[in-house]
Amino acid sequence: LAEVRSMRLKAAWCFHLCNCWSILIVFAYAFVRAYVWSCYRRFNWLTMAVLNNATSEQTEPTHFPISFHDMAKIGEQCEAEVKGTGLQGVPCRPSLDQINKLCTNSQFLNGRGQPWPKAFADYGFIEDVLGENQVGIPCLPGICNVRQKIVEHEWTLIGICIGMFVSNCLLRWCMDARIRQVKARKLLDRQHQAEEFRKQKREQQLRKNTWW
């Protein structure tokens, strides 16, 4: 049954390879999604700050550059103000077109000395782990449009990720079924060979008995 052992080994390697690729693709998608959302959140907060033209307390005009923590406070206050209202395109809930004015062009931010946003930046625990300040991945211009595309096709992308793992399970089942089929055929062939061998031995014994 060397052929069956060889098939089983190849099937195991194939299954593990497919699983590894599926896991890598899922992790890559999760990382890209986290990166896009991190950038979009920062551009959204910056747009709120610009449209509201106020500090985190929203009592004085905004003085750029503003810190990540001030942007986050503006986002929290705006979320509390517009929650449940359904408003869109207002200073505390800007539209995609309004956000894109900052997201696609650095001219406005550069004119006010505001650093270009970085994904995963200004998180204390990340800076503590890496031992550096201002760590992060610079956001690509136009990343907000990418976020919108992901939102529109997110269930399709999630379905693809789930489908890969389901396909791997089906592939494993098909390979095991094929191996069992080959093994059963090999065992049946060996049984027929054994029967043929015993039949030949009986015929030889009969010929010997007849001769004597």
Side-chain angles (χ1 to χ4, degrees):
L1 299 179
E3 181 181 354
V4 175
R5 287 194 296 270
S6 176
M7 289 181 64
R8 195 180 298 278
L9 180 62
K10 292 177 181 177
W13 275 105
C14 180
F15 177 71
H16 291 318
L17 181 63
C18 291
N19 264 348
C20 287
W21 275 109
S22 298
I23 292 172
L24 285 176
I25 291 172
V26 169
F27 273 109
Y29 167 70
F31 175 79
V32 170
R33 189 185 188 283
Y35 166 78
V36 171
W37 257 251
S38 181
C39 289
Y40 179 83
R41 187 180 301 112
R42 284 158 173 75
F43 280 112
N44 189 31
W45 289 340
L46 279 173
T47 305
M48 291 177 185
V50 171
L51 295 178
N52 280 289
N53 193 27
T55 62
S56 58
E57 290 78 22
Q58 299 189 13
T59 58
E60 300 177 1
T62 300
H63 298 289
F64 287 92
I66 59 176
S67 67
F68 171 81
H69 299 290
D70 285 339
M71 286 190 291
K73 288 179 181 177
I74 292 173
E76 291 175 359
Q77 290 179 353
C78 280
E79 178 65 23
E81 287 185 16
V82 300
K83 186 175 182 180
T85 63
L87 295 174
Q88 290 290 341
V90 296
C92 270
R93 186 171 286 171
S95 66
L96 181 61
D97 290 337
Q98 291 171 319
I99 297 172
N100 273 335
K101 291 180 180 179
L102 297 183
C103 190
T104 57
N105 194 335
S106 62
Q107 183 177 357
F108 181 87
L109 296 179
N110 291 340
R112 286 155 179 77
Q114 180 69 34
W116 187 256
K118 292 183 178 181
F120 314 119
D122 298 303
Y123 287 124
F125 69 93
I126 296 179
E127 294 177 352
D128 291 341
V129 171
L130 299 179
E132 296 181 8
N133 294 327
Q134 297 299 321
V135 297
I137 305 174
C139 297
L140 296 174
I143 196 70
C144 303
N145 284 325
V146 176
R147 186 256 185 190
Q148 185 62 27
K149 294 294 183 183
I150 294 177
V151 169
E152 293 173 359
H153 301 94
E154 185 155 31
W155 284 111
T156 301
L157 295 172
I158 293 174
I160 291 173
C161 293
I162 295 174
M164 287 190 300
F165 287 103
V166 173
S167 298
N168 288 345
C169 294
L170 290 175
L171 178 63
R172 180 64 180 268
W173 180 82
C174 290
M175 289 188 297
D176 287 343
R178 176 59 180 168
I179 290 171
R180 287 193 299 268
Q181 184 181 18
V182 172
K183 183 177 180 180
R185 190 183 71 244
K186 289 291 183 181
L187 290 174
L188 187 60
D189 290 342
R190 291 183 66 177
Q191 183 179 354
H192 290 163
Q193 291 174 0
E195 291 176 354
E196 186 66 24
F197 177 77
R198 287 193 295 269
K199 181 179 179 181
Q200 292 176 359
K201 293 293 288 184
R202 285 196 300 268
E203 291 176 351
Q204 291 176 1
Q205 188 65 33
L206 287 174
R207 283 197 295 271
K208 285 183 180 181
N209 292 338
T210 303
W211 176 263
W212 291 105

